[in-house]
Amino acid sequence: MLGRQLAPVTWESRWIPWPDFWLPKNQVAAAEAFREAWTRAEVERVEIACGGGIGRTGTGLACLAVIDGIPSHEAVNLCS
């Protein structure tokens, strides 16, 4: 979840274009990526990260919590 794509990595990855202090550039694609991460996390290791590790990462983790059924206001509190 970065505003720019980084150099390729040796593991499977998915870049979500998401500038710092803004919303994802494509919110539908971001939601699809979070749903995929949530599904895959049941059987494999999944990593969610941004540049600083506190803003967009926390937002992404809160999104996963909501997908898992936690009310949004509680999901934000879990990730802060």
Side-chain angles (χ1 to χ4, degrees), residues 26-54:
N26 184 330
Q27 294 174 23
V28 172
E32 289 172 0
F34 289 130
R35 283 189 205 95
E36 179 185 346
W38 180 82
T39 300
R40 293 177 72 166
E42 186 174 4
V43 295
E44 62 187 286
R45 186 178 205 156
V46 174
E47 176 183 326
I48 293 182
C50 68
I54 55 172

Side-chain angles (χ1 to χ4, degrees), residues 3-71:
R4 60 180 170 73
Q5 190 166 9
L6 295 177
V9 292
T10 58
W11 57 89
E12 184 179 350
S13 66
R14 183 181 220 176
W15 170 54
I16 300 173
W18 191 332
D20 205 7
F21 302 108
W22 292 95
L23 295 172
K25 289 191 176 202
N26 184 330
Q27 294 174 23
V28 172
E32 289 172 0
F34 289 130
R35 283 189 205 95
E36 179 185 346
W38 180 82
T39 300
R40 293 177 72 166
E42 186 174 4
V43 295
E44 62 187 286
R45 186 178 205 156
V46 174
E47 176 183 326
I48 293 182
C50 68
I54 55 172
R56 291 165 288 183
T57 298
T59 301
L61 293 173
C63 289
L64 291 179
V66 169
I67 291 169
D68 198 44
I70 295 175

